[in-house]
Amino acid sequence: MSLSATSEVSIEEIPPVGSTGVTGLAPRPDSSPSSRWPQWFQQDQQKAWETFTTLRQPKRNDEPWRFANLKAIDLSDFQLAGPVQDPAALIRRSEGLSKTCAKMIFANDEMIHRDAQGLPNNVLLIPLDQAACEHEDLFRKSFMSSEVRLGSKKFSALHRARLSTGAFLHVPKNVVIEHPIEIWYWVEGEQASIFPHTLIVLEEGASATVIDRFVSAHNERSLAIAVNDLMLGGNSRLTYVGVQNWSDKVTAFHLNTTEVEKDATSTALQMNFGGSYVRGESDSHLLGEGSRSVMLSVNPASGTREIDQRTFQDHFAPRATSDLLYHNSLADSSRTIFAGLIKVEEAAHETDAYQKVRNLMLSDEAEANSMPGLEILADNVRCTHGATSGEVNEDELFYMMARGIPAKQAAQLIVRGFFGTVLERLENEHLQTHLGTLLDRKLNL
Amino acid sequence: MSAPATSTLSIRDLHASIGEKPILKGLSLEIPKGEVHAIMGKNGAGKSTLAKIMAGHPDYTVTSGDVLLDGESILGMEPDVRARLGLFLAFQYPMEIPGVTIANFIRAALQARLPQGEELEATEYYAKLYAKMDALSVPRNFTSRSVNEGFSGGEKKRCEILQMAMLEPSYAVLDETDSGLDIDALKIVSAGVNALRGPNIGMLVITHYQRLLDYIVPDKVHVMSDGRIIHSGDKELALKLEAQGYDWVEKEYADAQSAL
């Protein structure tokens, strides 16, 4: 396949942006990053750009944006990111798990490092653009293939239009990858915007663990619109963790779709450590009988951070399980928003669906909004959902202080424990320990 | 044979209340290091309240009197400061702390006793922890379990004694340590407590039943009623209370008071 074909979009062809005001993100004829992509995808991107410019900004009355700070999603002064200054330094700083079997590092949407030697031969861990060229059918079938249903259609279109590269993991039938794969996405530059993308396809019986890490090179105000799509074939196992550690000034979107076939299990955890406004959308499709999706999130919010999470547990097949557990701690004047829907379609008998959101309030100025929802069209299902908000338990605090632990540290330990119960759900001691250390650092323990 | 004020836990004419309600009404007690004292009494006598007040529970207000630890008043100190000075309370109902492992919990407690900047030595810590766990028949895999979460009554109490063994307090108050224990668990817990007895620790054992005192034999027994100590004696007193109940002591006390 030829890689030379490019279709550079001249500035004249761009529809007027009008109220969207995002000229800084418009395609630039001089430095088109799309040159690595096949022709058909470039056309696709052009259409996506049109979609982006056509769709209006979310408004206050739009249900999927209820309670959200709409000012935060005004993208008008962001620019496409240029090359980073010192890729070698970022590679050095990409220190995560002690034991991985493959690593990819992206900086401002360019791949700056790839080590996949520890992977079995027939496993693909390649840049997305390469996947589009060399594995077109596979790519077309799995790349952003389902409808964006949780509100960010416009931003998803922008992601597709401005996508430069990303990670594509394909694990063939019955191949088990023992150690985690770690993928780093760095952003550098004031007002820079990046579009990280991780696409994971597990064939029948395959198994893998993937950690995405999202990091700012400096304390800068940037934009990230990240997409991760997790496609699980029958009887496969995936553990996916997104460790979001953007600077406190970043506006970030983390948009996920998970599709789980028969008897497969997806366990996905999103940890939000940074960002100014962070929008998370997680859409799980329980497609096969006996499939399982565990949806976890750990959000230690502080400062003025806003974490805005929307989720969908959509059961299409019988005897499937979805299990959502989100824990938020809210210090200072931070805000969280959770809106989640469990939907049990007509055919999905004997569904087990759980949804639990817990808000640990650490400040009177903080604000937690929870909107759980249920829609059941099948018989004989077991669904529970609930959201709780509470403060640090005084009796627990007294108990710990009676052991000599100072109040502040005791409270931190309680918060740490509150998140620890979510990490336990990964059922992976190595990961749990590592992520626990990150949490300790965040909570100053 | 009274110990010098510098090595006793001394409660002096203590009055305390919760809200407007007086709970302790002039309670006095001396527990020298090296001795084990027991407090017995009916439900509602204020036994557990005394334990909480000594530990500094914020719900209670001390209205007068004092509690001195080795001669130093601990009233007005935060609970953690009291604990670091050497006071330990084994809880009647130990709290569950989800997600905080026993190993991390005890380590944080020990770390808090070290000077700023000094780190607890991990290898030594685990060696000691495992040794104490073995002695108390606490399975080693408990270190990675959340504090008290999903524990049986016996496991919780053993875990309290484990913490006591690790923190090596100079004074320990054991609040109803026997409640909810079957005889086997009671023997293990008592053996654990007895192993910690010695010249460097004073203990106050609060109990409802004489049974515990068969295993943790006290030097002195005190009877508490309506927020005061109304009678003290040696270990035989516990047997008498078991056989005859509390009415006779209360009557004796009432007679003595009216004679004043």
Side-chain angles (χ1 to χ4, degrees):
Chain A
M1 182 169 297
S2 162
L3 293 185
S4 59
T6 59
S7 89
E8 294 187 349
V9 181
S10 79
I11 213 89
E12 284 76 25
E13 291 171 38
I14 304 163
V17 289
S19 63
T20 54
V22 283
T23 45
L25 295 171
R28 281 180 302 207
D30 51 332
S31 68
S32 171
S34 10
S35 57
R36 291 184 303 252
W37 292 90
Q39 186 82 42
W40 60 265
F41 188 78
Q42 296 179 39
Q43 285 164 3
D44 199 39
Q45 287 197 295
Q46 206 176 325
K47 269 189 236 140
W49 175 258
E50 283 158 21
T51 305
F52 169 65
T53 51
T54 309
L55 291 172
R56 66 163 173 80
Q57 277 288 108
K59 286 187 187 159
R60 185 141 307 283
N61 296 336
D62 296 346
E63 187 56 32
W65 294 91
R66 226 175 130 194
F67 297 118
N69 172 14
L70 295 177
K71 256 191 218 153
I73 54 168
D74 173 2
L75 312 182
S76 51
D77 59 350
F78 289 107
Q79 315 282 329
L80 281 178
V84 294
Q85 290 188 344
D86 187 354
L90 296 183
I91 294 171
R92 278 195 302 276
R93 285 171 66 187
S94 302
E95 245 185 74
L97 285 161
S98 57
K99 208 183 273 172
T100 56
C101 68
K103 203 166 178 176
M104 269 176 127
I105 305 173
F106 298 90
N108 284 6
D109 288 345
E110 292 294 329
M111 187 171 77
I112 58 171
H113 176 86
R114 174 176 171 271
D115 173 10
Q117 286 183 352
L119 290 174
N121 274 339
N122 45 3
V123 172
L124 290 175
L125 179 66
I126 55 176
L128 264 183
D129 45 299
Q130 188 186 338
C133 294
E134 295 173 6
H135 305 274
E136 186 180 327
D137 289 348
L138 200 54
F139 181 90
R140 278 181 185 269
K141 206 168 71 185
S142 48
F143 175 80
M144 297 182 85
S145 56
S146 55
E147 193 198 341
V148 178
R149 307 192 290 179
L150 294 171
S152 281
K153 204 171 234 174
K154 181 177 173 72
F155 306 105
S156 167
L158 177 60
H159 172 94
R160 188 191 281 253
R162 299 274 55 95
L163 184 67
S164 168
T165 184
F168 178 75
L169 171 68
H170 177 261
V171 187
K173 192 173 170 179
N174 293 334
V175 172
V176 173
I177 304 177
E178 209 177 316
H179 298 300
I181 295 167
E182 201 165 46
I183 302 160
W184 293 75
Y185 295 99
W186 290 88
V187 64
E188 182 180 87
E190 199 62 45
Q191 295 169 343
S193 52
I194 63 164
F195 303 90
H197 194 116
T198 298
L199 173 55
I200 300 172
V201 181
L202 301 189
E203 300 291 351
E204 203 181 317
S207 168
T209 300
V210 179
I211 319 292
D212 270 350
R213 313 192 72 125
F214 304 96
V215 207
S216 296
H218 316 289
N219 184 22
E220 290 166 328
R221 181 172 172 266
S222 326
L223 167 70
I225 302 180
V227 167
N228 69 77
D229 285 339
L230 317 176
M231 318 294 280
L232 287 84
N235 205 28
S236 63
R237 296 268 173 285
L238 175 68
T239 300
Y240 171 84
V241 181
V243 181
Q244 182 273 97
N245 211 354
W246 303 123
S247 93
D248 289 343
K249 299 177 185 169
V250 166
T251 297
F253 294 75
H254 290 266
L255 310 176
N256 153 268
T257 306
T258 301
E259 294 188 4
V260 198
E261 298 285 354
K262 189 174 188 300
D263 294 326
T265 297
S266 161
T267 306
L269 164 68
Q270 179 71 19
M271 300 177 90
N272 288 307
F273 289 140
S276 163
Y277 170 82
V278 181
R279 169 86 176 190
E281 294 183 11
S282 193
D283 188 351
S284 259
H285 301 65
L286 285 303
L287 298 178
E289 193 171 338
S291 58
R292 187 177 162 83
S293 178
V294 181
M295 302 157 78
L296 309 170
S297 191
V298 157
N299 303 299
S302 59
T304 55
R305 180 169 305 133
E306 176 168 325
I307 297 177
D308 174 9
Q309 293 175 303
R310 318 276 163 158
T311 66
F312 200 172
Q313 296 156 258
D314 201 354
H315 285 253
F316 295 92
R319 285 172 284 282
T321 304
S322 65
D323 193 353
L324 179 146
L325 181 65
Y326 279 27
H327 278 193
N328 307 320
S329 74
L330 295 94
D332 308 323
S333 52
S334 57
R335 295 182 83 216
T336 60
I337 301 160
F338 173 85
L341 178 64
I342 295 174
K343 187 174 181 190
V344 182
E345 311 282 353
E346 271 175 49
H349 305 296
E350 294 174 57
T351 284
D352 277 342
Y354 310 103
Q355 186 189 87
K356 186 86 199 172
V357 179
R358 292 195 180 95
N359 301 305
L360 184 57
M361 309 304 293
L362 303 175
S363 150
D364 292 338
E365 262 85 75
E367 179 190 318
N369 305 278
S370 306
M371 297 169 280
L374 268 181
E375 194 181 330
I376 301 173
L377 308 172
D379 304 320
N380 195 12
V381 301
R382 189 163 48 187
C383 295
T384 63
H385 69 164
T388 58
S389 290
E391 293 167 13
V392 169
N393 183 315
E394 291 295 326
D395 292 325
E396 286 176 30
L397 206 57
F398 174 66
Y399 182 65
M400 298 179 91
M401 289 176 78
R403 296 295 173 258
I405 303 170
K408 186 172 171 232
Q409 204 197 335
Q412 282 171 330
L413 269 176
I414 289 170
V415 175
R416 172 68 176 79
F418 173 69
F419 290 126
T421 56
V422 180
L423 297 186
E424 279 166 22
R425 301 288 293 277
L426 290 174
E427 295 176 21
N428 178 326
E429 207 170 316
H430 179 54
L431 262 186
Q432 222 173 295
T433 308
H434 174 70
L435 300 174
T437 310
L438 299 183
L439 253 179
D440 289 346
R441 223 175 284 159
K442 179 74 192 172
L443 301 171
N444 284 323
L445 283 174
Chain B
M1 197 189 76
S2 78
T6 49
S7 56
T8 61
L9 175 59
S10 178
I11 304 168
R12 295 186 182 163
D13 194 27
L14 194 63
H15 289 73
S17 53
I18 182 162
E20 294 296 303
K21 191 183 173 220
I23 307 270
L24 300 185
K25 302 171 181 173
L27 186 140
S28 296
L29 205 57
E30 293 274 330
I31 302 143
K33 270 189 188 158
E35 291 188 13
V36 173
H37 290 211
I39 286 189
M40 299 184 72
K42 288 182 184 169
N43 275 335
K47 303 190 299 294
S48 286
T49 303
L50 171 64
K52 283 186 194 157
I53 287 169
M54 287 166 76
H57 196 288
D59 286 356
Y60 302 93
T61 315
V62 172
T63 47
S64 68
D66 210 346
V67 179
L68 306 167
L69 201 140
D70 291 340
E72 186 180 359
S73 173
I74 58 169
L75 293 183
M77 287 180 181
E78 288 294 314
D80 58 305
V81 181
R82 300 178 192 210
R84 292 198 300 275
L85 273 180
L87 183 68
F88 181 88
L89 170 61
F91 281 60
Q92 180 179 7
Y93 302 110
M95 292 304 299
E96 298 184 2
I97 307 174
V100 178
T101 65
I102 289 181
N104 285 345
F105 179 51
I106 299 179
R107 189 166 59 189
L110 284 170
Q111 182 68 49
R113 285 160 169 80
L114 295 179
Q116 193 84 38
E118 204 173 302
E119 278 289 318
L120 195 68
E121 215 287 299
T123 328
E124 279 172 36
Y125 166 65
Y126 274 98
K128 186 175 171 188
L129 182 62
Y130 286 142
K132 305 279 185 194
M133 291 176 89
D134 293 350
L136 282 161
S137 304
V138 177
R140 287 190 178 190
N141 63 13
F142 267 51
T143 50
S144 57
R145 286 182 60 179
S146 293
V147 176
N148 294 319
E149 200 180 40
F151 287 18
S152 70
E155 286 167 343
K156 283 183 183 173
K157 296 301 169 77
R158 267 184 276 168
C159 207
E160 290 294 287
I161 305 306
L162 172 67
Q163 291 170 41
M164 177 172 150
M166 290 298 289
L167 299 177
E168 298 172 342
S170 8
Y171 299 97
V173 180
L174 280 64
D175 187 12
E176 306 268 3
T177 293
D178 52 332
S179 69
L181 297 190
D182 61 31
I183 196 73
D184 291 328
L186 183 64
K187 282 180 182 169
I188 293 170
V189 167
S190 304
V193 172
N194 288 329
L196 299 174
R197 288 177 81 153
N200 296 319
I201 185 169
M203 293 190 201
L204 181 62
V205 178
I206 293 171
T207 183
H208 205 61
Y209 299 106
Q210 184 270 335
R211 185 180 72 153
L212 175 68
L213 305 181
D214 285 342
Y215 298 96
I216 304 173
V217 180
D219 297 296
K220 285 206 171 74
V221 175
H222 310 277
V223 179
M224 188 168 174
S225 173
D226 193 26
R228 300 178 187 92
I229 300 296
I230 58 165
H231 192 84
S232 297
D234 60 14
K235 64 180 187 221
E236 305 303 326
L237 175 58
L239 293 169
K240 193 173 173 191
L241 290 167
E242 181 77 359
Q244 301 179 17
Y246 290 95
D247 291 348
W248 66 272
V249 212
E250 283 175 0
K251 186 169 183 304
E252 264 184 34
Y253 179 73
D255 292 346
Q257 291 301 101
S258 58
L260 286 177

